[in-house]
Amino acid sequence: ETLTIATVNNGDMIRMQKLSEDFTAQNPGIDLDWVTLEENVLRQRVTTDIATKGGQYDVMTIGTYEVPIWANKGWLVELADLPSDYDVDDLLPAIRGGLSVDGKLYAAPFYGESSMVMYRKDLMEKAGLTMPEAPTWDFIAKAAKAMTDKDNEIYGICLRGKAGWGENMAFLSATANSFGARWFDMDWKAQFDTPQWKETLTFYVNLMNEAGPPGASSNGFNENLALFQTGKCGMWIDATVAASFVTNPKDSTVADQVGFALAPDNGLGKRGNWLWAWSLGIPAGTQKAEAAQKFVAWATSKSYLEMVAEKEGWANVPPGTRKSLYANPKYQAAAPFAQMTLESINAADPNNPTVDPVPYVGVQFVAIPEFQGIGTAVGQQFSAALAGTVTVDQALQSAQQLTEREMRKAGYVD
Amino acid sequence: MATAKSNVAARIMISPAVLLLLAWMLIPLSMTLYFSFLSYNLLSPGMERWIGFLNYEYFLTDPAFFSALTNTLILVLGVLIVTTIGGTLLALLLDQPIWGQGIVRILVIAPFFVMPTVSALVWKNMFMNPVNGLFAYVAKSVGLPPFDFLAQAPMLSITGMVAWQWLPFATLILLTALQSLDREQLEAAEMDGAGPFSRFFHIILPHMARAITVVILIQTIFLLSTFAAILVTTNGGPGYASTNITYLVYSQSLLQFDVGGGSAGGVVAVIIANIVAIFLMRMIGKNLEA
Amino acid sequence: MGSITLSNVKKAFGDTVVIPSIDLEVNNGEFVVFVGPSGCGKSTLLRMIAGLEDTSGGTIAIDGQDVTDLSAAKRGLAMVFQSYALYPHMTVRKNIAFPLKMAGLPAVEVDKRVAAAANVLNLNDYLDRRPGQLSGGQRQRVAIGRAIVREPTAFLFDEPLSNLDAALRVNMRLEISELHQTLGTTMIYVTHDQVEAMTMADKIVVLQAGRVEQVGSPLDLYRNPRNKFVAGFIGSPKMNFIDGEEAAKENAATIGIRPEHIELSTESGRWKGTVAVSEHLGSDTFVYVNVDGVGHLTARVEGERPVSHGDTVWLSPVAGRIHRFDAQDMTL
Amino acid sequence: MGSITLSNVKKAFGDTVVIPSIDLEVNNGEFVVFVGPSGCGKSTLLRMIAGLEDTSGGTIAIDGQDVTDLSAAKRGLAMVFQSYALYPHMTVRKNIAFPLKMAGLPAVEVDKRVAAAANVLNLNDYLDRRPGQLSGGQRQRVAIGRAIVREPTAFLFDEPLSNLDAALRVNMRLEISELHQTLGTTMIYVTHDQVEAMTMADKIVVLQAGRVEQVGSPLDLYRNPRNKFVAGFIGSPKMNFIDGEEAAKENAATIGIRPEHIELSTESGRWKGTVAVSEHLGSDTFVYVNVDGVGHLTARVEGERPVSHGDTVWLSPVAGRIHRFDAQDMTL
Amino acid sequence: MARAVNNKRRAVVTLIAWAVGIAIFFPILYTVLTSFKTEAEAVASPPSFLFFDWTLENYAEVQERSNYFLHFLNSVVISLGSTVLGLIIAVPAAWSMAFFPKKRTKDILMWMLSTKMLPPVGVLVPIYLLFRDASLLDTRTGLVIVLTMINLPIIVWMIFTYFKEIPGEILEAARMDGANLWDEVVYVLTPMAIPGIASTLLLNIILAWNEAFWTLNLTAAKAAPLTAFIASYSSPEGLFYAKLSAASTMAIAPILILGWFSQKQLVRGLTFGAVK
Ligand SMILES: Nc1ncnc2c1ncn2[C@@H]1O[C@H](COP(=O)(O)OP(=O)(O)OP(=O)(O)O)[C@@H](O)[C@H]1O
Ligand SMILES: Nc1ncnc2c1ncn2[C@@H]1O[C@H](COP(=O)(O)OP(=O)(O)OP(=O)(O)O)[C@@H](O)[C@H]1O
Ligand SMILES: [Mg+2]
Ligand SMILES: [Mg+2]
């Protein structure tokens, strides 16, 4: 029996691929075929496959966005037969909630993340400021300007600018939440014409223009990581998983100078952080559901974490899924960002993401099928605003129009 | 040379190619046509319903459509202009007797062998990146602020990248054409008192007209469906600044999984491609006959 | 005016010396033909005169003025190429007008001159066709038209008729001769067809391996070839050469007799032989005869002679028409 | 054996009738030459005989057997093409062996026959070369080798020499004639060069616009052309035609005199005229004369005659050599 | 009759030509160089060209991470397979069009080319569904079929222009020599067109090798060629320039080498009848 597993090409997944001999040794008779793809390609491939029942994959790596939608359509196998030592209750509640529908688990989290502030202690010190544990946006703006030294290629803040619902819109949606904005009101009416959005976007564009790196409108996670690692960013607000990279002296020139803080807020009760988990799900069409479930259980089990710790050190364990990991002193010692990560994850509430009530689930996304398209299209507009090719007002207006258009077409509003 | 028997054989021999291509074109195309009248989202299977021309209405009134159309034209024309002019100049250069001609030719050909994705990645990350890219480094070392190519001039940058890939192709064809020019014609022109420029414009260029047409035809075919370079570098942005028709259809059908809308876009793209094709064939037909 | 003087002109391609050294005088208005076997340097010499090829040494003067370092465009010569080298994308009119256009003449003048040239060459009906739509002879005429329209100091022709079929070649040959008579311009003409050479030239230059073997009028060369090479090269069918005993009788290493200077008899004569092939042209008969101890001889007989394969015939050279050569192949 | 009979053979390309109807008999062992102006249907006729082109009507029989519907491969004929049509990717040996290979002969037999053919054609030294490495004449020989190796019932040649230069053409002409004498096989030969026609043919077929104008031996056609067309077509230089008064004197609409049948005198004669051009070939002189009231006449004079442009000369036809034609151009 | 050229002029032209050639080649060169750098050096400023610590660790890592050989093999099978299949279909068609031209022949040829203008995304979903039903997803066979169909028009055109250059008389000569249709094609036509067929083969292998839309969308694991291999490096976490360069080098090297070795063939064939 051969399982075809579609994975995203990030470090933790690749490591799992390398360690999978452990699984095949335990389960003779099961072979693994890996399809490792870049995130966007992966999403496109697996979605096409599952929606057309192509049946090419037995295990898919999917995110918290897909799981509720797909589970509702009955496309995913419920993970009901997990082995007893799996300990479902050990999963972090926020994550588990995001992967369950009606209390049933449809995908097992491989790693989870939220977002937080990473900053350079040395530069902060040089600027004469101290980073509070839970900063406000005003402080961030002030610090960013103070740290910026463009002549030496030091930019106070690096934020995502590359268009995409999972790129700049992840950051901006989450940020908007903290500014009191939301995607839709309870009647699914788009909200980009509200002052909250205008405030969010103006703040973002101004901040980036004054203290951001050049070319920010094409920077995503990867580009910002490279910038931060080479010492060109004062602060970076992004995924918690980045913490282990920026503190790894092998890749990072600033490893010993990184500090962490919660994502900023504006005093409205919501922080600008998101929640995401790359998870393993099993498509309903597969003939090999049993073997697939064995694999999923293996890859997301406690023992897998221990195996990684043993082989690669605790700092490299996939984070953000299990309470037990954060309770583990060895992990806390090896990962100085552990506490901050946990707090960030706990601070996100997918079911109640915004200041004002919304009809949808999801912090930095809206869990409806149409969101990928809308999110990316809006992302394009905001990216253009950042690049300066349109004004903030124009970008918001276009965003409003296109969102209304798509929602009308999809039948949410008349 | 035709006898009745061989004519029958000729018909039989051509039919596999024609029938296969006909099938390849008609079957998916008719499915696409059918889908284009449905409300069909891949993520909502089983909810397809007939909605008439609504998909077309949405696609054609999409604010992105107009810029996609212009961008498609800019890209195709831009690359064609760069490659034909550049290719002609390069061909002229490589036609001269030089030492190590073989090696230079190899160097010039190389970009044609590079996968479009790889090329886009390399240009984007190692050259055009405003912080780590080589261009930024050069700009900084002469005291200029680095230019953010992909954000400030996305179409220009993409055109440049694609042109780099197609330049060798144009050069090769034009070079072969140039080398087929009867040297005596050039000498005759020289005797007739024509200087280098006159010789180029009156003799060489007209001689290469046919080759240039072929370059234009083949490249247009490939350029109309440029997509990897955009996907990898700008994702069509910022805004719609670098979205072309192909990318727009791609984003409809594979980012939004709106098969109905994507199919409508596909049909529109087919129509546009055919308009271009008819136009090109006219031009080619004229030039290939002579 | 159009006199051309080559002094000590040399040409080498890399290490290969193609023309060791040539001195040559072409007088104004003369029709000079270069002949010689393939590869002997005819084209190279012509191209050096044209300015299409650098000289490796020596000087070329046109009308007394040294043009050795002048570019082709500035020498004021016109050239007609073997391949015609017409511009395929231009109409006949444009082809002919091209040199004038390059010279920057006003349109009215251009039209006038093109019309005149077309008249001379009977091209009026074809002015708006492309070269591809013309027959070989018409193309040839266009090429000439392009040359004459500019009124050059001299014309250079490089085997201009070799791509035409036999009948057309005869016509064009006459046309070029007439043109020369009409215009009176100096012409240098390269060919390997010695009928052309004989009929057209005022002066023939016989070349071999880049050296001038003999210069003279056609009949001069026909009658008094300086050596065996020239003797064999001029005249058609080729001169018969006989060596050995028969030659010794005439006190020569080799003797040569032209086929038209052999008399054929079915009764008696100097050499007895058998007919191998006889070709009856109506006007003449060519008889190829094997003569024991002498070899193959060709005889040309006027009119129709009823000889055929296998017949025994006698051949006799016409008195006074025997050419004698020494061991160095020089005429005695 | 190799007799070929065409009965009422027609050919039309679409609506264009190229050959209205032709009857022709080629006897075994004959050397038949098709001549005629360009486009008259020579190649078409040959290709129909070969089987490369369907007939539009009538029958073709080889040795009495109807082959009209047989494919080219099965008619047992061999063809030599104008372009030689050698297989460029095969050595000379393979080229010659190809038809034998197609016929499925055993390798030993193939080798033997190829060797024999190569011997006949003097190709032994080139057997391992490719056609691209051969000279024009050698290629021509390979093409012939490919034809003879199979011992076909008849050979078909379509202008096989027209791509060769003058000197080579003479040689190859002789070789083909010798070959015919050696093999004795029927040969049909298309040419527009009438020297070839005259010298090679047993029987010449003169075609015009798809119709047979006359069939006969070369000298027959030379002496007794059936009409003006044949008279003008056979013989070189071309027959002089005179009409009007001078013709009326002979009771004809037109009279014709061949250049070799005109006597030239500087003192007296029938027609007085001025020399336009005189071409001195050494062996002969061609004199082009303008005669008032008669037109341009060409005279061929043996040897060297010191006449030149502008001289006044008298021309007289040789008695009994005048051809007379009626108003329908038929010989009287 | 090439004209002799003096050496000074030649030297100047050589200099310019080399400069231009190196400029055009530079991105590839730089990629290859970068693949031997460490990640830190890859983004270092100022960039280093030759004087850095050469390392093979990127290749080692890429090799460890993905099954390069499988992807490579798939690429070879798919590009070769589709080209050969295309040739098998195209040769008879081109033969027919070149030697038996009809009034419609040119229209057919142009129509064939115009099918190449169909934007692939427009028909992806139908093809995907058809392939799913025919169980061709993620199979080499499936990809061979798709790429054959995509490149068929180009193949037909190229072979057609090649055949056009072969004089009809040669085929007639073969017929006179007793060859039937099959002999004619096998012994005469095909060998004569070998250079053309070779260059068609090459160009189409290159096109198929680099085709990144269908190969990515119709494969998963088993049939995925090198384009999919690249897709797994195109945006890993962190911009690993050096590893990306190594993967890129590995993906393009085979075709680059093939192209270089056969460039004479390729150049000859790339004329598409553009040269008369
Ligand atoms: N560019 C060149 N490089 C080297 N050798 C050359 C070049 N051009 C001509 N030659 C050589 O110079 C010699 C004379 O050539 P040329 O073309 O002048 O001969 P030709 O008398 O015109 O012959 P043909 O009658 O065949 O035209 C030949 O041996 C030829 O090979
Ligand atoms: N395939 C064809 N379709 C239409 N007309 C044709 C075709 N082949 C030949 N013809 C016409 O048939 C006539 C006879 O042609 P053919 O080639 O037999 O002439 P030819 O006597 O061989 O001339 P040439 O001496 O120029 O070779 C010509 O008018 C020609 O245009
Ligand atoms: Mg020459
Ligand atoms: Mg013919």
Side-chain angles (χ1 to χ4, degrees), chain D:
Chain D
M1 286 290 288
S3 71
I4 297 170
T5 315
L6 309 191
S7 324
N8 193 17
V9 166
K10 302 177 207 295
K11 179 72 192 181
F13 290 108
D15 291 339
T16 332
V17 177
V18 173
I19 292 176
S21 167
I22 277 190
D23 290 283
L24 189 72
E25 183 74 40
V26 174
N27 298 322
N28 185 23
E30 237 175 4
F31 197 114
V32 175
V33 173
F34 292 175
V35 291
S38 189
C40 70
K42 304 182 293 292
S43 299
T44 307
L45 196 55
L46 198 74
R47 290 161 55 76
M48 285 196 292
I49 297 173
L52 293 172
E53 199 81 68
D54 287 336
T55 55
S56 310
T59 55
I60 298 173
I62 298 178
D63 289 337
Q65 194 194 337
D66 185 347
V67 296
T68 319
D69 293 324
L70 224 54
S71 78
K74 298 200 178 120
R75 296 196 184 184
L77 305 174
M79 184 150 170
V80 175
F81 292 83
Q82 179 173 358
S83 62
Y84 320 139
L86 299 182
Y87 310 125
H89 56 289
M90 302 184 192
T91 59
V92 168
R93 186 191 307 283
K94 291 221 174 110
N95 260 284
I96 298 180
F98 187 73
L100 304 177
K101 190 167 148 198
M102 289 299 108
L105 260 67
V108 197
E109 175 68 12
V110 169
D111 288 349
K112 218 177 65 192
R113 291 227 219 158
V114 170
N119 247 330
V120 172
L121 294 163
N122 258 323
L123 282 171
N124 285 318
D125 294 347
Y126 311 108
L127 280 178
D128 293 314
R129 295 217 195 147
R130 297 265 170 109
Q133 302 163 306
L134 298 179
S135 75
Q138 289 162 345
R139 283 185 217 182
Q140 184 58 60
R141 265 183 255 158
V142 176
I144 294 175
R146 201 174 54 183
I148 65 172
V149 76
R150 237 159 27 111
E151 303 169 0
T153 18
F155 289 99
L156 310 176
F157 292 88
D158 193 356
E159 309 202 12
L161 305 183
S162 64
N163 278 352
L164 302 180
D165 73 22
L168 205 53
R169 207 143 48 195
V170 174
N171 280 340
M172 290 306 302
R173 193 170 86 199
L174 287 172
E175 283 185 23
I176 293 176
S177 288
E178 276 174 24
L179 195 71
H180 181 236
Q181 275 167 22
T182 318
L183 301 178
T185 316
T186 311
M187 292 189 176
I188 302 184
Y189 189 104
V190 168
T191 181
H192 60 248
D193 179 323
Q194 51 90 26
V195 175
E196 279 173 30
M198 292 300 286
T199 57
M200 304 174 86
D202 291 323
K203 183 153 105 187
I204 293 182
V205 179
V206 183
L207 294 167
Q208 190 189 10
R211 256 182 305 272
V212 175
E213 292 288 339
Q214 189 169 0
V215 180
S217 76
L219 289 181
D220 201 26
L221 298 189
Y222 178 79
R223 289 188 204 126
N224 309 311
R226 214 165 63 85
N227 56 23
K228 193 176 150 190
F229 175 78
V230 177
F233 203 81
I234 301 290
S236 160
K238 221 165 127 18
M239 184 183 277
N240 296 295
F241 291 109
I242 304 168
D243 43 22
E245 216 175 301
E246 289 292 327
K249 280 185 197 162
E250 305 276 343
N251 274 330
T254 312
I255 56 169
I257 312 134
R258 299 198 184 275
E260 56 269 34
H261 301 144
I262 291 184
E263 278 170 0
L264 180 140
S265 151
T266 47
E267 283 140 28
S268 66
R270 179 155 167 190
W271 298 303
K272 182 184 163 194
T274 31
V275 174
V277 180
S278 72
E279 293 185 339
H280 301 273
L281 289 166
S283 50
D284 306 279
T285 309
F286 293 142
V287 189
Y288 303 88
V289 183
N290 290 326
V291 178
D292 280 346
V294 171
H296 301 274
L297 296 183
T298 309
R300 192 185 97 159
V301 202
E302 241 206 317
E304 302 135 30
R305 281 290 271 274
V307 289
S308 59
H309 180 69
D311 290 358
T312 304
V313 292
W314 280 262
L315 303 178
S316 325
V318 174
R321 289 297 205 169
I322 296 180
H323 299 266
R324 295 161 57 241
F325 306 98
D326 65 15
Q328 281 71 49
D329 291 341
M330 298 306 289
T331 304
L332 287 166

Side-chain angles (χ1 to χ4, degrees), chain B residues 105 109 112-113 168-169 171-180 211 214, chain D residues 88-89 130, chain E residues 157-163 165-166 189-203 206 259-276:
Chain B
R105 208 160 60 175
I109 290 182
F112 187 57
F113 304 135
F169 177 81
T171 307
L172 281 188
I173 289 193
L174 295 177
L175 181 61
T176 330
L178 191 59
Q179 286 171 342
S180 78
V214 169
Chain D
H89 56 289
R130 297 265 170 109
Chain E
W157 194 14
M158 286 183 75
I159 303 272
F160 168 78
T161 55
Y162 254 89
F163 281 180
E165 286 169 19
I166 294 178
L189 190 60
T190 311
M192 278 185 69
I194 284 279
I197 290 177
S199 57
T200 311
L201 200 83
L202 279 168
L203 180 74
I206 293 170
W260 279 353
F261 273 112
S262 50
Q263 61 133 341
K264 274 230 177 74
Q265 282 296 342
L266 197 62
V267 172
R268 281 186 54 189
L270 264 182
T271 58
F272 291 103
V275 182
K276 248 199 183 151

Side-chain angles (χ1 to χ4, degrees), chain A residues 1-42:
Chain A
E1 225 175 2
T2 304
L3 292 178
T4 306
I5 303 160
T7 61
V8 68
N9 64 349
N10 62 38
D12 289 301
M13 288 288 182
I14 304 249
R15 189 171 294 122
M16 185 224 319
Q17 195 176 323
K18 281 189 217 157
L19 296 173
S20 63
E21 276 165 27
D22 176 65
F23 174 77
T24 42
Q26 285 173 28
N27 297 278
I30 302 182
D31 287 329
L32 304 178
D33 260 354
W34 296 90
V35 179
T36 314
L37 293 167
E38 181 256 324
E39 179 176 335
N40 289 319
V41 181
L42 174 84

Side-chain angles (χ1 to χ4, degrees), chain C residues 13 16 18 36-45 53 82 158-159 190 192, chain E residues 1-4:
Chain C
F13 290 108
T16 334
V18 172
S38 190
C40 70
K42 304 181 293 293
S43 300
T44 307
L45 196 55
E53 199 79 67
Q82 178 173 358
D158 192 355
E159 311 202 12
V190 169
H192 60 248
Chain E
M1 179 78 47
R3 190 160 170 186

Side-chain angles (χ1 to χ4, degrees), chain A residues 328-348:
Chain A
N328 187 327
K330 280 189 234 161
Y331 182 64
Q332 286 169 350
F337 43 83
Q339 199 49 42
M340 199 55 70
T341 304
L342 184 63
E343 279 179 35
S344 295
I345 291 175
N346 286 338

